[in-house]
Amino acid sequence: MSKRSSLAFPPARYLCSAVLILALGGCQTTGIEDVTGALGGKKESAAKDGAKSDTRADAKPEMDALRERYRAKPGDPAMAIEYGKALRDSGQRAQAVAVLEQAVLAHPGNKALLAGYGRALADNGNFQQAFDVLGRAHSPEDPDWRILSAQGAVLDQLGRNEEAQQYYAAALKIVPNEPTVLSNLGLSYMLQNNLSKAEQVLGRAYQRNQNDARVRANLALVLGLQGREAEAEILVKADLPPDQAAAKVAALKQLLAKKQQRADR
């Protein structure tokens, strides 16, 4: 095996705490770090790279209005979930945790609240607590595949990859070939440096949804880690304007260079 194909994959923090992103939420960058999406958050189309500043400007009045509605009905679980998600999407992670924590204290049996709280905790880096809370958001008798996938993503962040893969497998029994779960599973194999298996699984995800930029980015990263940079670049810049495509390719090369530096140490 060549030196490149045997690169040791770095800690998950280099990918945004997402696996992190299935996608619990998307990464707030225009770089290759958009790859994750592991925990289920804002939609990929919520803010296109070329319009992020405009989107943030437009979102402020909406956030202000949402904050006022939340303050008017702080005991409403649905309102807390909506406000907490908006805070997460805007990067106010600690505030999202605080809002949802208060709501869960008032409604400890509300599974939708627990799911949102668990995702917010994971976004904020509280991985073990997130895993415990997500486990209360559904039951073995009535499993939720999205939460199973989110639990797997959190376990990957904790370095418990084999356990994570069991959760993805359980999710795939409910929704076979669901691309978001397959993408998370592929990332998990990548974290184990099982690049051939990661490519196989991410290839399945790509075939199921070729329009998901995060799936394409994940697959591109695996190809790049195996030294197949030309193939990776084609995937990364697909359907993007030239300037954004160039930025994505540059970010991919930078990330691959970091991996090579770690492998050379």
Side-chain angles (χ1 to χ4, degrees), residues 199-255:
E199 180 186 350
Q200 176 188 345
V201 173
L202 285 164
R204 286 169 57 197
Y206 176 68
Q207 290 301 317
R208 298 291 296 184
N209 187 0
Q210 298 185 15
N211 295 321
D212 190 323
R214 290 174 301 194
V215 171
R216 290 202 307 263
N218 291 345
L219 180 56
L221 184 55
V222 169
L223 293 172
L225 287 170
Q226 296 178 89
R228 294 152 61 187
E229 293 186 13
E231 295 175 67
E233 290 180 15
I234 291 171
L235 278 174
V236 164
K237 64 187 181 181
D239 303 323
L240 289 176
D243 57 338
Q244 293 179 34
K248 291 285 186 180
V249 170
L252 174 64
K253 289 181 176 179
Q254 183 178 21
L255 193 60

Side-chain angles (χ1 to χ4, degrees), residues 21-28 34 37 40-49 52 55 85 88-89 145-146 178 180 212-214:
I21 85 222
L22 264 114
L24 297 177
C27 298
Q28 306 287 322
D34 294 342
K42 65 183 178 183
K43 300 294 185 183
E44 181 71 19
S45 60
K48 296 297 183 181
D49 289 341
K52 282 188 176 179
T55 301
K85 183 178 183 302
R88 285 179 58 217
D89 289 352
W145 68 266
R146 295 173 183 83
E178 165 57 41
T180 57
D212 190 323
R214 290 174 301 194

Side-chain angles (χ1 to χ4, degrees), residues 38-208:
L39 298 174
K42 65 183 178 183
K43 300 294 185 183
E44 181 71 19
S45 60
K48 296 297 183 181
D49 289 341
K52 282 188 176 179
S53 60
D54 292 341
T55 301
R56 284 194 291 265
D58 294 341
K60 188 179 186 306
E62 295 179 10
M63 178 64 81
D64 291 342
L66 183 57
R67 183 181 300 110
E68 291 306 313
R69 294 202 303 273
Y70 167 73
R71 287 174 176 171
K73 301 170 63 178
D76 184 343
M79 190 70 252
I81 290 170
E82 183 180 358
Y83 185 41
K85 183 178 183 302
L87 289 167
R88 285 179 58 217
D89 289 352
S90 65
Q92 299 178 66
R93 297 172 179 176
Q95 182 66 15
V97 168
V99 166
L100 290 163
E101 182 177 35
Q102 289 301 311
V104 166
L105 288 173
H107 305 276
N110 188 306
K111 294 190 183 306
L113 267 179
L114 287 166
Y117 181 39
R119 290 182 170 97
L121 285 166
D123 274 355
N124 203 44
N126 306 99
F127 299 121
Q128 185 59 59
Q129 188 180 1
F131 181 77
D132 295 339
V133 169
L134 288 168
R136 293 158 48 201
H138 64 158
S139 66
E141 298 76 25
D142 186 22
D144 183 325
W145 68 266
R146 295 173 183 83
I147 296 177
L148 287 169
S149 187
Q151 286 178 286
V154 170
L155 286 169
D156 272 324
Q157 292 287 336
L158 290 168
R160 294 156 60 182
N161 307 115
E162 292 183 3
E163 291 179 68
Q165 290 156 22
Q166 294 174 14
Y167 278 81
Y168 300 137
L172 289 169
K173 287 181 180 179
I174 301 171
V175 284
N177 293 315
E178 165 57 41
T180 57
V181 181
L182 289 172
S183 186
N184 282 358
L185 178 59
L187 284 173
S188 186
Y189 286 127
M190 186 163 58
L191 290 168
Q192 288 183 308
N193 199 36
N194 189 344
L195 300 182
S196 60
K197 187 69 172 178
E199 180 186 350
Q200 176 188 345
V201 173
L202 285 164
R204 286 169 57 197
Y206 176 68
Q207 290 301 317
R208 298 291 296 184

